[in-house]
Amino acid sequence: MGLGYHRRRLAGFVAGMRLARRFGEAERWPRERLCRHQQERVETVVRHAVRYSPFYRERFAGLVEDEPVSLGRLPVLDKVGMMENFDDLVTDRRLRREELLKRVEETGRDEYYLGNYRVMTTSGSSGRKGLFVYDEPGWSAIIAQFLRHCAMMGLSPRLPRRRVAAIVGGAPTHMSWQVAANVSVGVHNVRTLPVKRLVEELNRFRPDHMSAFPSLAVMLADEQLTGRLRVSLKSMITTSELRTPEMTDRIVEAFGVRPFDMYANTEGLWGLECERHEGIHLFEDAALLENVDEDGRPVPPGEPGARLLITGLYNMVQPVIRLEVSDVVALDPEPCPCGRTLVRTRAIEGRRDDVLELPGRDGGVVAVHPLQFALLTRDREVREFQVLQEGEGLRILVVPRAGADPVERLQAKVRQRLAELGVEDPKVVVERRAGLPRPQSGKLRMIVADPVTHRVR
Ligand SMILES: [Zn+2]
């Protein structure tokens, strides 16, 4: 990492700042203007893809001859397809999936590839490693979205003394680490902390802003309530996992701040609650989203879809066009009182895969939403838990609070709840654990569906 690296990083940040200013105006545009902007970007990205990506050229043959490009006519892409066809899909023929993954593993740090590109990997819940390459415009859009979320929370990038603790996963190629590393350029004092000895570290660091996964935030809330953790926060962000109203209450009780719920995926769609905390505003000026049902048809506003289709509006090197993401979302048709016109979702209700399907008394299937397990979150004796679906039953791993023995009580409680939902003879086993293993990303999956049972439908 020489001078060239730092100069490039700073240049990328400046470009991001410029784009952030444009995004700042776009948040309050009338919807028609936003749609016009999206269509212009779609034209640019799709035409670039058809010209330089053999994969898209073949896929879109005969579909994009006319203007304007009609996105709804283009085939949908899934993550596996994107990864399997990576070498043909990217618009720079020098980029090779295997080589990039190898280099990321070898160097394992924040770098530029071929002088230009940022590379990101994701653990991928499907077991296959996700690989994302960003060019300069693509990376600027990421930085701009990061700056926007600071602005929406009232965190001004002009306050150089702000102490930000971003408690993220260990892998430097993980998205959140990359962004944190990038905004540290003369703007925030961003620190990444290991999960171990977190409380000690936090006491020493005395952050006034913290971002963490909800399960971790609740754990820290307990530490704060017992007095072991002593931080005074001005703001907090939670992200990536489901945050129930009970979890929110406990965080507010401990830290005296209302956390902003954030949504961000490597595919390029970001979102954040505004000061009203009435749903997450999705940053549609950087990524276009379509909310669709099981058959890929658009769902009406206000109704939950089965998945989202995402089209990235800035990254030209790895064009993301109608990529499926298995998030269950209902888009709010009402405008937000804050005046931003970016669409809101009431709650990112969790991955579609987190909705468990159990046999019903009536012979059908009962869909058990992750929010049903709020009864575990709410329980004062539960520190952490994980619900594992095994065939037709559930095994629930629980880390109880010191001195508590909630196993049998919880077993009865969950059984009763499932019975109320119409589940036939609910099979629930609660097991006590000293701790739950966290994946390298640091993100604990609260609900893990049985991959076999889940696909039967
Ligand atoms: Zn708002």
Side-chain angles (χ1 to χ4, degrees):
M1 287 198 220
L3 187 62
Y5 167 84
H6 290 288
R7 195 177 297 142
R8 193 171 284 281
R9 211 171 92 167
L10 187 61
F13 187 73
V14 169
M17 291 263 280
R18 215 172 292 135
L19 191 57
R21 246 187 319 263
R22 294 227 324 262
F23 280 173
E25 291 162 26
E27 316 185 328
R28 287 159 208 275
W29 278 347
R31 291 296 300 178
E32 313 81 71
R33 176 131 188 235
L34 179 67
C35 291
R36 224 161 47 227
H37 158 80
Q38 289 180 323
Q39 184 62 34
E40 278 166 26
R41 294 303 314 169
V42 165
E43 296 283 338
T44 307
V45 171
V46 169
R47 304 232 174 261
H48 184 84
V50 168
R51 185 151 179 209
Y52 296 104
S53 152
F55 174 78
Y56 281 120
R57 191 179 311 136
E58 195 191 321
R59 208 170 159 83
F60 294 170
L63 295 171
V64 292
E65 272 66 47
D66 303 331
E67 284 199 34
V69 168
S70 167
L71 199 58
R73 288 179 65 201
L74 303 181
V76 168
L77 179 64
D78 63 27
K79 288 188 203 179
V80 175
M82 182 163 74
M83 285 308 119
E84 274 173 2
N85 296 289
F86 183 90
D87 292 0
D88 280 338
L89 182 144
V90 288
T91 58
D92 184 333
R93 303 271 59 78
R94 294 172 300 171
L95 295 169
R96 291 268 167 271
R97 180 185 150 82
E98 289 312 316
E99 240 168 76
L100 285 171
L101 283 176
K102 216 174 112 207
R103 283 203 55 186
V104 168
E105 250 163 54
E106 277 167 12
T107 61
R109 61 162 192 249
D110 189 17
E111 264 200 4
Y112 287 88
Y113 292 86
L114 300 173
N116 253 330
Y117 301 126
R118 313 294 309 236
V119 180
M120 222 68 55
T121 55
T122 58
S123 42
S125 44
S126 47
R128 204 185 171 87
K129 215 166 199 178
L131 177 66
F132 290 87
V133 181
Y134 299 85
D135 56 9
E136 281 179 23
W139 191 251
S140 295
I142 299 279
I143 296 280
Q145 296 190 82
F146 185 85
L147 291 172
R148 165 187 274 163
H149 96 255
C150 292
M152 278 174 75
M153 294 190 349
L155 277 179
S156 160
R158 291 201 187 86
L159 285 176
R161 293 279 164 261
R162 202 167 272 285
R163 301 174 73 83
V164 179
I167 306 165
V168 297
T173 46
H174 187 273
M175 182 78 157
S176 29
W177 197 96
Q178 288 264 4
V179 172
N182 272 277
V183 291
S184 66
V185 186
V187 178
H188 294 288
N189 287 320
V190 176
R191 281 194 47 176
T192 49
L193 301 170
V195 181
K196 270 186 196 170
R197 292 181 24 236
L198 196 55
V199 170
E200 276 168 54
E201 290 271 338
L202 286 170
N203 280 336
R204 201 172 320 139
F205 182 57
R206 290 179 289 110
D208 46 23
H209 169 78
M210 197 154 83
S211 52
F213 303 120
S215 57
L216 203 59
V218 168
M219 234 167 73
L220 292 172
D222 290 339
E223 294 295 313
Q224 179 88 1
L225 286 170
T226 59
R228 279 190 292 272
L229 179 63
R230 298 173 298 276
V231 295
S232 156
L233 297 180
K234 292 194 178 72
S235 57
M236 180 188 261
I237 278 191
T238 56
T239 184
S240 300
E241 293 167 348
L242 185 74
R243 195 186 79 205
T244 63
E246 289 77 14
M247 293 167 93
T248 308
D249 289 348
R250 207 182 286 184
I251 292 167
V252 173
E253 189 189 340
F255 297 109
V257 294
R258 201 178 156 82
F260 287 83
D261 205 13
M262 182 190 183
Y263 174 83
N265 65 28
T266 323
E267 292 79 17
L269 180 62
W270 286 43
L272 184 75
E273 286 180 342
C274 67
E275 63 280 6
R276 301 276 180 156
H277 299 278
E278 292 175 26
I280 295 175
H281 282 285
L282 294 171
F283 299 171
E284 302 167 273
D285 39 9
L288 186 150
L289 59 124
E290 301 167 78
N291 197 13
V292 298
D293 65 15
E294 289 287 359
D295 302 317
R297 286 177 308 229
V299 298
E303 281 178 30
R307 60 180 72 91
L308 289 174
L309 305 180
I310 295 176
T311 299
L313 300 179
Y314 285 89
N315 195 15
M316 308 287 261
V317 67
Q318 184 177 347
V320 167
I321 302 169
R322 305 198 86 204
L323 179 68
E324 279 185 353
V325 177
S326 64
D327 283 338
V328 177
V329 157
L331 300 176
D332 200 331
E334 298 301 317
C336 183
C338 76
R340 290 180 185 86
T341 48
L342 299 173
V343 76
R344 279 176 306 159
T345 150
R346 273 289 164 200
I348 298 282
E349 296 181 13
R351 304 259 154 180
R352 171 87 190 118
D353 297 346
D354 289 345
V355 178
L356 302 180
E357 291 173 348
L358 297 173
R361 272 193 299 275
D362 59 1
V365 167
V366 176
V368 181
H369 192 276
L371 275 175
Q372 298 299 340
F373 297 101
L375 67 94
L376 295 171
T377 318
R378 201 189 295 142
D379 198 285
R380 288 273 159 190
E381 296 191 326
V382 176
R383 247 179 184 287
E384 264 194 308
F385 70 91
Q386 192 171 40
V387 179
L388 308 170
Q389 182 184 18
E390 292 175 344
E392 296 187 344
L394 301 182
R395 194 151 63 93
I396 303 178
L397 310 180
V398 168
V399 183
R401 221 155 288 258
D405 189 16
V407 167
E408 276 175 34
R409 187 171 51 80
L410 292 176
Q411 212 158 273
K413 242 169 123 177
V414 176
R415 258 191 213 133
Q416 189 195 336
R417 172 59 57 89
L418 294 177
E420 284 163 11
L421 292 171
V423 175
E424 160 95 331
D425 183 23
K427 294 166 194 64
V428 180
V429 180
V430 174
E431 289 174 15
R432 191 190 178 96
R433 288 282 188 278
L436 295 174
R438 276 176 189 277
Q440 200 188 24
S441 69
K443 181 162 80 184
L444 185 69
R445 287 194 68 188
M446 215 185 277
I447 316 282
V448 182
D450 187 321
V452 180
T453 328
H454 204 69
R455 298 284 164 233
V456 182
R457 249 161 48 88

